[in-house]
Amino acid sequence: MAGILDDLKRTFRQGNIVVRLIYINVAVYIVSMLLGVVLGLFNIGISEWLYRLYLPADLLQLLRRPWTLVTYMFMHAGLWHLLGNMLWLYWFGRLFLYFFSAKHLRGLYVVGGLSGALLYILAYNVFPMFGPQLYGATLVGASASVLAIAIATAIREPDYQINLLFVGPVKLKYFALFIVLFDILYVSSNNAGGHIAHLGGALAGWWFVRGIAKGYDITHWVNVCMDALGSLFRKRERKPRRPRMKVHVNNASGRKADYEYNARKKEQSDEVDRILEKLKKSGYSSLTDSEKRRLFDASKN
């Protein structure tokens, strides 16, 4: 068992941001299910405990549980709900990393989730149709976050083609348009809250790409907060310093190694810049397989 956990930890640490987000979502789901089994043995329902992590539509309940603005985007209503969202995250997350950085994806996941949450709360408190459902309505799932990533990718590279089962190759711009129209048409369905949240996530994806084009990044504040939080945990985990040892090296060989390393890094950086310039001018389809691999590898750093 310890070996399995070590393998999972290593995969998590070595994986890119898409893999890490998938691991977090799956881990939250498994823990919640295991907790339900344990509590069930003592005739204690888990619904009340999980309810504290779901996003309520009622403003008074939200004031008592403000953390749900974040926790809801890592919770799922069932296995198929989780599987669908994680497949979308995997497919579109990998595409997203061709054009943007890992920090952009991490930040947009949060911003997309928050945008979906705010539009959901606004709709349920403004439109009379949702009045009878207001007090008991809750929202769960990563759909808004994932859709923000998907829409951002489609706006950045609208002519990129994906292959859909039973349909064939479809350009991302048409796929994105279909998804948005589908959610608009079903905002009055039984899953109205989910479709409204999807539209909020889509809006965040559009806003992100437009912002990047104009020189500002709507995910910056999220990444600043998460980096600060991460550095705080790293300080706590830092081991006591060992006594320093003096090591004498040959300065000439050291300078040569530094020169070779810097030259190699400069060559790699110039190659990535060349590929990005080609991508900007001619689109993703103009890249060779080796250029796509080089760009993908660079996005993981």
Side-chain angles (χ1 to χ4, degrees):
M1 186 65 179
I4 295 175
L5 291 177
D6 289 339
D7 289 341
L8 291 174
K9 288 179 182 178
R10 184 169 59 254
T11 305
F12 178 83
R13 289 170 181 166
Q14 295 176 351
N16 61 22
I17 186 61
V18 175
V19 172
R20 293 185 178 188
L21 285 171
I22 291 173
Y23 266 53
I24 292 171
N25 277 277
V26 172
V28 169
Y29 179 78
I30 291 175
V31 169
S32 65
M33 292 298 100
L34 290 175
L35 184 60
V37 172
V38 173
L39 292 178
L41 294 174
F42 294 94
N43 290 324
I44 301 174
I46 193 176
S47 299
E48 183 179 349
W49 292 85
L50 293 181
Y51 188 75
R52 299 175 185 274
L53 302 177
Y54 295 169
L55 178 70
D58 181 63
L59 291 175
L60 292 178
Q61 294 183 61
L62 180 63
L63 289 174
R64 292 195 291 267
R65 304 199 302 274
W67 57 84
T68 57
L69 285 167
V70 175
T71 57
Y72 97 93
M73 65 183 79
F74 296 97
M75 307 294 297
H76 288 86
L79 179 60
W80 292 112
H81 188 203
L82 171 72
L83 181 61
N85 280 337
M86 293 305 98
L87 286 174
W88 274 60
L89 177 57
Y90 179 75
W91 292 328
F92 286 102
R94 292 183 65 188
L95 279 177
F96 183 94
L97 290 177
Y98 282 130
F99 313 112
F100 304 103
S101 71
K103 283 192 174 183
H104 282 143
L105 190 145
R106 181 181 69 176
L108 187 57
Y109 184 96
V110 176
V111 172
L114 291 175
S115 180
L118 293 177
L119 189 60
Y120 162 76
I121 293 168
L122 178 65
Y124 267 70
N125 284 274
V126 168
F127 295 113
M129 169 187 169
F130 303 117
Q133 313 166 30
L134 180 62
Y135 185 78
T138 57
L139 182 67
V140 293
S143 303
S145 300
V146 174
L147 201 61
I149 294 168
I151 295 299
T153 306
I155 293 175
R156 172 60 181 80
E157 197 67 21
D159 292 324
Y160 183 89
Q161 288 189 342
I162 58 175
N163 288 309
L164 297 180
L165 188 64
F166 305 124
V167 177
V170 176
K171 291 183 177 180
L172 277 180
K173 60 185 177 183
Y174 299 125
F175 180 75
L177 180 62
F178 171 79
I179 293 300
V180 171
L181 287 176
F182 180 83
D183 284 318
I184 291 174
L185 293 174
Y186 281 86
V187 291
S188 59
S189 66
N190 292 334
N191 186 30
H195 292 292
I196 292 170
H198 292 174
L199 293 173
L203 181 62
W206 170 83
W207 186 18
F208 166 75
V209 178
R210 290 298 299 271
I212 292 294
K214 292 183 178 180
Y216 65 89
D217 179 7
I218 66 172
T219 68
H220 177 70
W221 67 273
V222 175
N223 287 311
V224 168
C225 293
M226 295 186 76
D227 287 342
L229 187 62
S231 63
L232 179 64
F233 279 104
R234 283 193 293 271
K235 286 180 181 179
R236 291 183 177 181
E237 295 174 357
R238 188 175 297 167
K239 296 180 180 179
R241 291 183 178 179
R242 295 181 178 180
R244 291 185 177 179
M245 297 176 60
K246 290 185 178 180
V247 180
H248 297 280
V249 298
N250 186 307
N251 289 334
S253 62
R255 284 194 296 271
K256 182 180 179 182
D258 288 343
Y259 175 80
E260 291 176 350
Y261 173 79
N262 291 332
R264 189 163 57 252
K265 293 294 289 184
K266 178 67 166 55
E267 182 181 352
Q268 293 173 352
S269 178
D270 290 344
E271 175 65 8
V272 171
D273 289 341
R274 183 191 66 78
I275 296 173
L276 289 174
E277 186 64 25
K278 182 179 178 181
L279 177 67
K280 182 179 179 181
K281 291 181 178 180
S282 306
Y284 183 80
S285 59
S286 67
L287 302 183
T288 64
D289 290 340
S290 62
E291 288 173 335
K292 292 176 183 177
R293 283 195 299 271
R294 177 64 62 86
L295 193 61
F296 178 71
D297 292 339
S299 71
K300 295 190 291 183
N301 295 329

